[in-house]
Amino acid sequence: MQRWKQTSLVLCLIWIALLSTHSVVVQAGASPYHFGFKKSRNGQLPSIEQEGFKPILEKHEAIFMGSSREKELYLTFDNGYENGFTTDVLDVLKEKNVPAAFFVTGHYIQDQPDLMKRMVQEGHLIGNHSWSHPDMTTISSERIREELEKVRVETAKLTGQLEMPYLRPPRGIFDERVLEISRSEGYTSVFWSVAYMDWDTKKQRGKQHAYDNVMAQLHPGAVILLHSVSSDNAAALGQMIEDARKQGYTFKRLDQLKTRQY
């Protein structure tokens, strides 16, 4: 009788473990999306109407763009690693008096403490890009929380920025579980409405290429995604800012975005 009870207990524990593992796999693999959008052209607004994820962005109050009634631009950079150009970017932002948000990974925090401190000292926001840059749809809910919390804590220790309200999911991959957990941890997920293929350091095509791609997509309320590893972006940034202002645009920090649009 005692042996039967022990065997039953072991089988029960195995069954619970299997159920727990299965739950993580199912949740992690449920409806992953890669963020995409119809680009703005000739003054028309960008759109995510055909992408299939608009309802869950609305539900979890994620950011795609700001108000289309305001000629405001929100400049954001993804900083997974340093390629020697962030100092140039910060110099331009300081000269032009333009705020930005930098979404950083754990590697960047550990590798570039001085640049991190400078970002905060010069009035920029640091956002969460996860500690190890995983596809968060494939990891457990507990691991997601750990990835986000480690970035927040280490950034606060290093820079004194105690609040970190903004998150950009690595590679723009997400599902409803990722957005839900992120929101429960106090984050607003930030996507973008202006971007181009700028992250491949082996395919840089010059200042004019960056300038043309970004300026062709400008629209009211734009959340602009740039990668600071791009030499093209660093070279073109000053002219982008000057010419956007000539068109009547102003640059705002993400925490000044009051009305979002989908």
Side-chain angles (χ1 to χ4, degrees):
M1 185 66 174
Q2 184 65 26
R3 180 177 297 176
W4 180 84
K5 288 182 178 179
Q6 290 175 341
T7 301
S8 297
L9 177 60
V10 170
L11 290 173
C12 183
L13 291 172
I14 291 172
W15 178 244
I16 291 171
L18 287 172
L19 281 176
S20 175
T21 302
H22 178 69
S23 175
V24 169
V25 172
V26 170
Q27 289 177 348
S31 303
Y33 296 103
H34 291 247
F35 185 82
F37 64 103
K38 181 181 178 181
K39 291 184 177 181
S40 171
R41 285 288 186 262
N42 300 318
Q44 295 183 342
L45 291 176
S47 172
I48 56 172
E49 291 290 340
Q50 304 302 317
E51 304 298 332
F53 50 68
K54 179 180 175 182
I56 66 170
L57 259 62
E58 291 179 316
K59 178 180 177 181
H60 298 288
E61 299 184 291
I63 290 174
F64 153 58
M65 58 179 282
S67 171
S68 62
R69 297 184 297 275
E70 304 292 338
K71 294 198 75 172
E72 297 175 347
L73 303 175
Y74 302 88
L75 195 55
T76 72
F77 293 86
D78 281 2
N79 291 70
Y81 66 97
E82 182 53 41
N83 195 34
F85 301 111
T86 304
T87 295
D88 295 337
V89 167
L90 287 169
D91 287 347
V92 171
L93 296 176
K94 184 176 182 179
E95 177 191 349
K96 307 296 183 185
N97 193 28
V98 169
F102 293 87
F103 290 88
V104 302
T105 62
H107 172 79
Y108 201 88
I109 294 169
Q110 294 176 315
D111 189 55
Q112 298 295 327
D114 290 340
L115 286 176
M116 292 276 293
K117 292 174 184 176
R118 181 179 172 185
M119 290 169 187
V120 172
Q121 288 168 356
E122 295 184 357
H124 306 297
L125 288 173
I126 294 180
N128 202 321
H129 203 35
S130 79
W131 188 257
S132 62
H133 206 259
D135 173 352
M136 294 204 295
T137 68
T138 66
I139 62 178
S140 70
S141 300
E142 180 181 2
R143 169 87 184 280
I144 291 173
R145 293 186 177 94
E146 290 172 352
E147 286 274 336
L148 301 182
E149 182 64 5
K150 194 168 184 181
V151 171
R152 187 192 68 77
V153 169
E154 295 303 317
T155 297
K157 287 180 183 177
L158 181 63
T159 69
Q161 178 186 288
L162 301 180
E163 300 295 327
M164 183 174 279
Y166 300 107
L167 160 72
R168 177 163 283 155
R171 290 171 275 173
I173 303 174
F174 66 100
D175 57 19
E176 183 156 18
R177 181 178 66 100
V178 169
L179 295 186
E180 184 175 20
I181 292 170
S182 301
R183 193 63 177 157
S184 72
E185 294 298 304
Y187 289 97
T188 296
S189 295
V190 180
F191 295 96
W192 53 88
S193 61
V194 172
Y196 76 105
M197 294 182 65
D198 63 343
W199 58 87
D200 191 338
T201 58
K202 296 179 180 179
K203 295 182 179 179
Q204 298 297 291
R205 296 170 60 182
K207 171 182 176 179
Q208 194 65 41
H209 177 71
Y211 176 89
D212 290 343
N213 270 278
V214 172
M215 298 302 290
Q217 297 180 63
L218 288 190
H219 63 86
V223 176
I224 302 170
L225 164 60
L226 297 175
H227 287 80
S228 60
V229 295
S230 165
S231 59
D232 293 353
N233 288 338
L237 183 61
Q239 196 66 50
M240 289 177 192
I241 292 169
E242 289 179 9
D243 290 353
R245 282 173 166 165
K246 288 177 183 177
Q247 294 181 29
Y249 286 103
T250 59
F251 288 85
K252 302 284 187 178
R253 276 199 343 179
L254 276 178
D255 54 356
Q256 296 175 297
L257 192 157
K258 303 300 184 184
T259 305
R260 66 197 67 177
Q261 184 165 318
Y262 299 95

